[in-house]
Amino acid sequence: MNKGLLKRFLAVSLAIISAFTVMTNGKDYISNQTPVIAISSEAQANAEAIKKAQEEIDALEKQQSQLDSQINDVTADADAEKAKQESISKQIDVVEKTIQKYDDKINQYQKEIDELNKNISKSEKSIAQKETEIEKGIENFKKRIRIMYIAGSSSYTDILIGADDFYDMLMKIELVKKVADHDNSMIDNLVELKKQYEAEKKTLEENKKQLEEKMKIQKEEKDKQQKQKKKLDDLYSQSEAAEERLRADAQAYKDNKAKLDKEQRAFEADLQKLFKEQQAIKKKEEEERKRREEEERKRQEQLALQQQQSQNGMSNSGNASTGVTTNNSQGSTNNADHGYSDKSQFTWPVPGFYHISYGVGWRWGAYHNGIDIYSDNIRGAKICAAASGTVIRVESYCTHDYGKYGSCGCGGGYGNYCIIDHGNGYWTLYGHSEGITVSVGQQVQQGDVLGTVGSTGYSTGPHLHFEIRLNGIALDPQKYV
């Protein structure tokens, strides 16, 4: 090999090596190792909690079966009817406990669903990144092949024949070997990256399949829970004590109708006033937020313009841009939950107590704006936030905490109550509490305790009056919780 050919070979070799400096050497450019699928301690705890809840449900349903037999085995005498009512009372308690256990089980499945959604989201991002890296690697390898084709290839035979001396031959062989090693490493890395990509795709599909199965199971559990709630309502309809309470409530309302209607109208007017006040506050906050954003945008534009002018040496040649825009985007986040959707953002406000004694609608000639959640032993039960939000009203001065057949006038008839603003126009109201334990302006999370169930205001017995409102208009909570 003459000196001209040697120079050409060295130049081509150096060009080849330089061409691949854009790629990370060795295996460093492989972004992440394939995630290891392992059962976390939290997943194990969830599985154990689900198993335990199912065991308790089985035991409770066995009790239900025994009590059902006692309830259905009725003769016409007074003693038998008394025994039936006692069995109904016991059955009500057992069914409420069963519904609570279904709640526990459903919540555990929800945790698993949330975790799967999170893993799926991470996998999708990792897979997308690896796709980009593989495409980039293939493109760089194409460039490598083009360079080799243009430069031509030098075999070991050519090197041996063209070498000036033994040292020259070794130097050339070493150079060719390094280029070949780099090529092999690049191919190996692409193959490894492809394996990781395929493994993650497989994991993703498995997680999606698990998600579908968990969602199906959770829906089945919710259906079973709904049957238990229907059974609870049926039991209350058979309960003479419950029937007597309903008759007494109706008579009490008729006896005090004029006063109660006036009280309700005043409360509604006050509530609408509060709604307008809150809307005005939010409008002002939104305007202030936009003003600050606009100021920041202009400040960024000015900074960008100053930097450009500085780079152009304060030139007036017209090269400076007069339409500089800045991109403050942080990137859009896809919050899609990969197929899972619950029927609303709200959860049940009194865990463990599920009987609705009165729903939304016309009742005794007046419109009832919420649901009344009642049970014989509900007094003192925890009232929980149905969704996260901000407490915007609290009334907790009523001391008339007992069943009454007329309003004490406190809280517009609602006694001790609070209202939470959940954003997007949604409010929830919780009435007749023993005492509210949160304060105005406090941020609460879904499930946080707001107070306990009592019988303040116009209340014939301990219960929770629960409302969901959208832009001030009362909705039917049974469609949301």
Side-chain angles (χ1 to χ4, degrees), residues 218-232:
Q218 189 191 48
K219 184 180 182 305
E220 290 171 354
E221 296 302 313
K222 286 182 177 181
D223 290 342
K224 291 176 185 177
Q225 187 188 52
Q226 282 301 118
K227 288 180 180 178
Q228 289 289 313
K229 289 181 178 180
K230 175 66 169 58
K231 183 173 184 177
L232 183 63

Side-chain angles (χ1 to χ4, degrees), residues 187-210:
I187 293 169
D188 289 344
N189 289 339
L190 280 171
V191 170
E192 178 64 24
L193 193 59
K194 181 174 177 290
K195 287 180 181 178
Q196 290 183 19
Y197 170 82
E198 289 172 347
E200 288 190 21
K201 285 278 285 185
K202 183 179 178 181
T203 301
L204 176 62
E205 293 306 315
E206 289 173 354
N207 279 339
K208 285 185 175 180
K209 186 177 179 181
Q210 283 187 44

